[in-house]
Amino acid sequence: MIKKIIVSICLLFSLAIFAQESTSSPYSFYGIGDIKFKGSVENRSMGSVSVLPDSIHINIQNPAQLACLKLTGLALGGTYANTKSKTETQEAKARRTSLDYMIVGVPVGKVGIGFGLIPYSSVGYKIGRTTYVTNNNNDTIRSIISRYNGIGGVNKVFLGFGYRLTKNINIGGDLQYNFGTIETNSLQYQTDLQYGSRENNVSDLRGVNFDLGITYQRKVNSKYSFFSSLAYTPEAVLTSGNTRNIEVVLVTISSVRPVETQNIAVADTKIKLPSKLSFGSGFGEVKKWLVGGEITFTQNSVMSNRFTDIDGATFENSVRYSLGGFFIPNYNSYSSYYKRIVYRGGVRYENTGLVIQDKSITDFAANIGLGIPLSGTFTNINIGLEIGKRGTKYYNLVEENYFNLSVGLSLSDKWFVKRKFD
């Protein structure tokens, strides 16, 4: 069993080695990139529903849920993403592997403490375009080649607290420090000219924000329970320190070599992080099954791009609808291991808040997952599959069909026990 845990940890940490680009979407060029899901594999497998209180799994979508912890836990998670992007005329495939979260949760009486590292946004794209210039006989006389690349994102370190206010009510909050760097460049050259040009942009982002949450749980009768949760994130600000340079470059088959560089003065910017309100409720039998739904409103209309001269996109307020749940045949079965496996599923739909050419970019996904217990412990390996579609291939936009495989390790145990015998 110990060997299995060690192997799982090594696999998850190996994901971090390749986590430089956790997205391959051209939509990540705008704003501060693709906003990542803030939650565990368990929540993601239920369509991002997070209303269920859990004593062994760390829930970071609502800090009030930290008060439900009974055991100290360490949670790690990563995702392998396979995306097929297409327009009306072209198709491309991309694969990415990323580390999604590293979290520790500690119960202290009525208080639950959580801290860790999670990504907030990600930028990652490589786009190429070739334009052909022809003469009167329709013969190609030159080609104009353009390449666009971006990498980086914003990460969060956070410290959160949950407090059991009454038997039925928990409250909580967390403080988050955001940091990261986004680098983008655009290269253009012609086949009949010796040199091309490249513009390089770098944004260094910093800022602080916090979340507040409250949960309510009550037994309907001796068998069934009702759950609800409310989480709120106030508007915050990121400071973006921006730099730009223009290069004259010599392009060869194997390299792009700068010949001359000129620094361009650009203004630093303030980027508003939108406020967010999430409400969910669920009904079920504790440690047996649950069905729940959640709706999240985000004031994305306050978002902006890192540089004031970036155009082509605007932002609008967005909403996400989630529906999901889980089922455990028999959580304490001694005769059948498979009856202790947790079966999860869910769906979600959202408009992302990004508007390009007056078209809202929407995202729909279906999820399934398994929670696989390690024998004799409270530790679980959680596996989730997500299949979805974002955007559209029409109106000169990009449709992204994606398949995500997420793996999480939830280690839970009593870490602070006073010895009775030495």
Side-chain angles (χ1 to χ4, degrees):
M1 190 258 304
I2 296 297
K3 289 183 179 179
K4 292 180 181 179
I5 295 175
I6 293 174
V7 170
S8 300
I9 293 175
C10 291
L11 287 174
L12 285 168
F13 271 107
S14 70
L15 297 179
I17 298 174
F18 302 99
Q20 300 302 313
E21 299 176 43
S22 61
T23 183
S24 57
S25 173
Y27 295 127
S28 67
F29 170 77
Y30 300 101
I32 56 173
D34 282 345
I35 304 302
K36 309 295 291 183
F37 171 67
K38 181 189 176 184
S40 63
V41 175
E42 302 93 282
N43 298 136
R44 189 172 186 173
S45 298
M46 296 187 291
S48 75
V49 172
S50 62
V51 298
L52 175 68
D54 198 320
S55 61
I56 63 173
H57 294 102
I58 305 171
N59 186 331
I60 59 172
Q61 288 182 263
N62 187 329
Q65 299 282 24
L66 292 170
C68 298
L69 290 175
K70 301 298 182 184
L71 300 173
T72 299
L74 168 65
L76 304 169
T79 297
Y80 167 78
N82 190 321
T83 305
K84 182 179 181 180
S85 302
K86 59 183 179 180
T87 65
E88 292 186 273
T89 58
Q90 293 180 313
E91 291 185 359
K93 293 182 179 181
R95 298 176 179 86
R96 296 289 187 271
T97 306
S98 63
L99 181 68
D100 291 336
Y101 55 87
M102 300 174 60
I103 311 165
V104 174
V106 182
V108 185
K110 292 185 177 182
V111 177
I113 303 171
F115 57 91
L117 172 67
I118 56 175
Y120 180 70
S121 71
S122 180
V123 174
Y125 60 88
K126 295 180 180 179
I127 304 171
R129 183 179 64 184
T130 302
T131 303
Y132 300 98
V133 180
T134 59
N135 57 20
N136 294 333
N137 296 323
N138 207 30
D139 297 323
T140 300
I141 56 176
R142 74 171 66 90
S143 299
I144 303 174
I145 300 169
S146 303
R147 298 177 186 171
Y148 307 93
N149 297 281
I151 189 173
V154 178
N155 299 302
K156 289 177 177 286
V157 288
F158 75 93
L159 175 64
F161 297 89
Y163 177 71
R164 185 175 293 278
L165 188 64
T166 69
K167 180 182 178 181
N168 304 114
I169 299 174
N170 296 340
I171 59 174
D174 63 40
L175 180 67
Q176 306 165 17
Y177 175 68
N178 306 278
F179 64 96
T181 301
I182 297 174
E183 301 179 16
T184 62
N185 66 73
S186 57
L187 168 68
Q188 188 174 89
Y189 63 95
Q190 299 182 24
T191 53
D192 60 339
L193 296 178
Q194 183 178 10
Y195 297 111
S197 63
R198 182 169 62 183
E199 178 183 290
N200 302 299
N201 296 296
V202 179
S203 297
D204 189 25
L205 300 116
R206 298 290 185 271
V208 176
N209 71 318
F210 64 93
D211 297 329
L212 299 171
I214 183 170
T215 63
Y216 176 78
Q217 174 184 353
R218 188 177 184 86
K219 277 189 169 293
V220 177
N221 53 37
S222 60
K223 190 174 183 180
Y224 301 114
S225 296
F226 171 79
F227 310 94
S228 64
S229 70
L230 180 69
Y232 176 66
T233 303
E235 185 179 296
V237 175
L238 288 182
T239 299
S240 179
N242 302 319
T243 60
R244 172 179 292 169
N245 65 59
I246 305 294
E247 296 176 326
V248 176
V249 295
L250 177 63
V251 182
T252 65
I253 297 177
S254 58
S255 66
V256 179
R257 184 166 60 86
V259 176
E260 182 179 343
T261 301
Q262 179 181 2
N263 294 321
I264 305 296
V266 290
D268 294 340
T269 51
K270 301 285 187 180
I271 299 175
K272 292 182 179 180
L273 297 183
S275 62
K276 183 169 65 174
L277 179 66
S278 180
F279 172 77
S281 61
F283 179 82
E285 184 178 349
V286 175
K287 298 180 181 179
K288 183 69 174 180
W289 63 271
L290 170 80
V291 175
E294 204 164 76
I295 183 169
T296 302
F297 302 96
T298 306
Q299 299 295 314
N300 274 316
S301 58
V302 303
M303 279 289 292
S304 59
N305 292 305
R306 303 179 306 279
F307 292 84
T308 57
D309 58 353
I310 294 178
D311 54 17
T314 57
F315 299 90
E316 65 179 0
N317 294 336
S318 64
V319 60
R320 180 179 70 197
Y321 304 94
S322 302
L323 179 67
F326 74 86
F327 172 71
I328 310 174
N330 187 350
Y331 80 96
N332 61 354
S333 174
Y334 291 100
S335 60
S336 175
Y337 173 82
Y338 297 101
K339 289 183 178 180
R340 292 189 283 120
I341 293 176
V342 184
Y343 300 89
R344 303 183 178 100
V347 293
R348 63 172 173 82
Y349 173 82
E350 63 180 306
N351 67 310
T352 62
L354 179 62
V355 181
I356 300 180
Q357 297 181 20
D358 297 324
K359 302 297 178 182
S360 298
I361 306 302
T362 60
D363 191 356
F364 173 79
N367 304 81
I368 58 172
L370 296 174
I372 303 173
L374 296 184
S375 180
T377 71
F378 292 103
T379 295
N380 293 268
I381 295 177
N382 299 285
I383 301 172
L385 299 177
E386 182 177 56
I387 299 175
K389 185 182 81 169
R390 179 169 68 164
T392 176
K393 66 179 181 180
Y394 303 107
Y395 313 107
N396 294 318
L397 297 176
V398 178
E399 177 182 299
E400 298 174 343
N401 295 279
Y402 56 85
F403 170 85
N404 297 331
L405 172 63
S406 299
V407 180
L409 179 64
S410 177
L411 291 154
S412 298
D413 206 345
K414 291 184 178 180
W415 287 13
F416 307 104
V417 179
K418 186 177 180 179
R419 291 186 178 182
K420 293 185 177 180
F421 304 99
D422 290 329

